[in-house]
Amino acid sequence: MRKTDKKLEKQLREQLTYVCEHALKQVVGFQWLTHKVNYADFPKSLQVVCVFDSNENLMRYTASESQLLNHEIAAVLRALNVNVKAVKDLIAFDTEERCNYEHEGNWAKRLQV
């Protein structure tokens, strides 16, 4: 990883931590988020995974048409001068419930897929 990649990674991690802390207070069932990226293919390879506690709370969030996570993640990317075509395309949603069922709670294995 190049020095500029490390700097961007640090900034991205810090800003997404802020989004996570805010979402924990504002979004019912939201638990945490993480990101995956291959800097050789950045920003195209960037994916932000937002994790909810249950499938039911995730369904409620998506049914409510709330855009809080999308808006905040988009704001982070703008602040870091990261241009992407559609922020919604780089955001994935998942649940602790699904991970427990499909990967026995092993998030490292689940996120590799």
Side-chain angles (χ1 to χ4, degrees):
M1 187 183 289
R2 298 174 304 182
K3 190 174 181 177
T4 55
D5 296 340
K6 288 180 183 182
K7 182 178 177 184
L8 180 57
E9 174 67 20
K10 181 178 186 273
Q11 292 172 328
L12 189 57
R13 194 174 54 248
E14 288 170 352
Q15 292 298 311
L16 288 175
T17 297
Y18 170 78
V19 171
C20 183
E21 290 170 356
H22 185 247
L24 283 167
K25 297 173 189 167
Q26 300 294 320
V27 180
V28 175
F30 176 81
Q31 296 296 298
W32 54 278
L33 62 78
T34 191
H35 70 285
K36 303 185 292 185
V37 64
N38 173 0
Y39 281 101
D41 192 23
F42 183 82
K44 197 169 151 183
S45 67
L46 178 63
Q47 182 180 38
V48 179
V49 181
C50 300
V51 179
F52 283 73
D53 58 354
S54 67
N55 296 335
E56 183 177 337
N57 280 329
L58 175 55
M59 278 190 345
R60 282 189 189 134
Y61 175 78
T62 54
S64 73
E65 297 183 19
S66 174
Q67 297 294 309
L68 179 84
L69 291 166
N70 292 43
H71 289 305
E72 291 200 0
I73 291 168
V76 163
L77 297 177
R78 276 192 308 275
L80 297 175
N81 293 317
V82 176
N83 297 315
V84 294
K85 287 184 181 180
V87 173
K88 67 180 180 71
D89 293 341
L90 64 87
I91 300 173
F93 294 97
D94 207 343
T95 67
E96 294 278 355
E97 188 176 338
R98 271 191 226 139
C99 181
N100 288 335
Y101 180 75
E102 295 172 6
H103 290 93
E104 299 175 345
N106 185 336
W107 278 100
K109 184 177 179 180
R110 186 169 183 82
L111 292 172
Q112 276 183 344
V113 176

